[in-house]
Amino acid sequence: MRTLLYLSIVCLLSACSTIEYIGIETYNPAEVTFPKSVGKVLVVNNAVPQPDNAGYTYNLYGTVQDTARARADSALFDACRSLGKSIVDVSFFNDVLLYHDGTRRDGKHLVDEKLTPEAVKELCEETGTDAIISFDRLLFQMEKDVVAFAEGFVAGGVDVHISGVVRSYLPGRDNPLATVYMEDSVFWSESADNMELLKLYLPSPDEALRAAGQYIGAKVTPNFVPHWENETRWFFKGEGARWKEATAYALSDKWEEAAFRWRHIYTNSSSWKERAKAASNLALYYEMNTQLADAFEWATKSYNLFNSKKGQDYKYTKMQQLYLEALGGRIRSDQKLNKQFGQ
């Protein structure tokens, strides 16, 4: 829904010179909610590294090299370590530990193998932790292409596609607490005067896989801990002294002063459109102060005013509808956050 909000706003704002849009940071809950009793978490590598000769294609000057090799075992460790470090940086759990060994002994790297309830219990008892976050499968598909141009000039690219499964486990449960399926990619592109220089610029196969592992470990972190996200908001501008004063204050982050003038416009203006815009701006003011119920109330007033004049300024009506949906999402997120923080 938030993606829809961003895309719609971009389309609408491109034609709205009376709108100033801004970026704000919102605090969002983890996708997975752990019980209050979970204070220490163990990050585990339960994935099998793919063979050195699997998942890597090297195309040199149009010819596929059959000797291409890349080791993925270090990349699995880096993914776990990156996930653990990113969770620690949030300061949500009391402690986060990284298990020293992989837990799988089979060679079935394509198989998604869950931790058994017995294994979860043993790992938690061994490490003194309350829950486990485990990479149960992690695969890399890497392609490297090098092409030559005139006078020895060369260009190359490395593209690593990552897919995997991460689960959270609690001792005493027959099934995982949650399962996260992930898919992403990282890419490098460089050019050089010759092949030797290009080798210095592009990562080696092992380095590329390790960087991809570090990336995916950090990328999956918001599923397990609260996190900040960048979102788009806007406020309306207008003609007249109070509108211009309010805009100047808002652009200077003096929201109290801006809100005072928007409230005066809402109370005293005879124009329904000015009142609707002022109400929307007041909703933003309250959202900036994390008074989400008040923000939702003012956004509703704005939407109702725009919607009552159907056929006029439809784009503004749609914008307010999207804003109401975004605020509703934030209210639900706050409720989930309170639960995750034990409030």
Side-chain angles (χ1 to χ4, degrees), residues 49-343:
Q50 63 197 47
D52 296 356
N53 61 350
Y56 176 34
T57 302
Y58 180 21
N59 193 321
L60 177 62
Y61 306 145
T63 302
V64 175
Q65 306 299 295
D66 57 9
T67 58
R69 297 290 186 272
R71 294 177 58 85
D73 49 352
S74 295
L76 296 187
F77 176 79
D78 287 337
C80 293
R81 183 171 57 183
S82 176
L83 172 60
K85 182 181 182 303
S86 298
I87 293 176
V88 167
D89 290 343
V90 176
S91 299
F92 180 68
F93 296 107
N94 296 335
D95 200 4
V96 180
L97 304 182
L98 178 61
Y99 198 64
H100 49 81
D101 292 322
T103 56
R104 296 269 295 275
R105 297 294 178 263
D106 62 85
K108 301 175 182 178
H109 68 283
L110 296 175
V111 176
D112 171 16
E113 187 84 24
K114 298 178 184 177
L115 290 172
T116 65
E118 293 75 20
V120 172
K121 181 181 178 182
E122 290 176 5
L123 287 167
C124 287
E125 288 179 349
E126 177 187 346
T127 57
T129 51
D130 308 308
I132 290 174
I133 300 174
S134 171
F135 278 90
D136 289 342
R137 183 176 64 193
L138 189 58
L139 300 174
F140 303 93
Q141 184 68 42
M142 179 165 58
E143 294 185 9
K144 180 177 180 179
D145 289 284
V146 175
V147 295
F149 297 95
E151 300 179 357
F153 182 76
V154 292
V158 178
D159 189 358
V160 184
H161 183 81
I162 316 152
S163 62
V165 182
V166 183
R167 292 188 175 90
S168 55
Y169 298 88
L170 295 173
R173 287 178 59 110
D174 292 334
N175 296 308
L177 176 65
T179 300
V180 177
Y181 296 94
M182 57 188 181
E183 194 165 346
D184 214 322
S185 61
V186 291
F187 181 79
W188 294 263
S189 180
E190 298 288 349
S191 58
D193 292 337
N194 55 63
M195 190 64 182
E196 292 305 312
L197 282 176
L198 184 65
K199 289 179 181 179
L200 297 176
Y201 297 154
L202 286 175
S204 69
D206 293 355
E207 289 171 341
L209 289 188
R210 297 194 69 172
Q214 293 167 14
Y215 169 78
I216 202 64
K219 186 70 179 291
V220 78
T221 302
N223 288 281
F224 303 105
V225 290
H227 54 281
W228 292 93
E229 289 184 3
N230 294 318
E231 299 196 24
T232 301
R233 295 292 187 265
W234 68 87
F235 62 85
F236 290 98
K237 300 182 289 186
E239 298 299 324
R242 281 195 169 80
W243 275 112
K244 292 179 179 179
E245 288 174 1
T247 297
Y249 281 127
L251 292 174
S252 301
D253 288 329
K254 297 180 179 179
W255 294 99
E256 293 289 341
E257 292 87 343
F260 178 81
R261 284 151 180 82
W262 289 329
R263 193 180 299 276
H264 184 277
I265 294 170
Y266 179 81
T267 303
N268 296 281
S269 178
S270 59
S271 167
W272 70 266
K273 187 179 295 185
E274 285 202 340
R275 296 181 71 236
K277 292 179 178 180
S280 177
N281 291 0
L282 286 167
L284 174 62
Y285 160 73
Y286 281 111
E287 184 186 11
M288 297 286 282
N289 285 278
T290 65
Q291 297 172 257
L292 300 181
D294 291 325
F296 192 86
E297 179 182 346
W298 280 100
T300 301
K301 292 178 180 179
S302 177
Y303 172 77
N304 289 338
L305 281 166
F306 279 122
N307 195 47
S308 67
K309 304 294 182 179
K310 292 180 179 177
Q312 300 185 42
D313 294 311
Y314 170 77
K315 59 182 178 293
Y316 295 147
T317 306
K318 185 63 177 177
M319 287 174 67
Q320 293 311 114
Q321 180 184 354
L322 292 169
Y323 188 30
L324 278 173
E325 292 171 358
L327 286 173
R330 282 205 66 186
I331 291 171
R332 291 188 294 273
S333 291
D334 260 26
Q335 294 169 347
K336 190 174 182 180
L337 272 170
N338 290 337
K339 182 178 179 181
Q340 291 177 355
F341 280 99
Q343 299 176 3

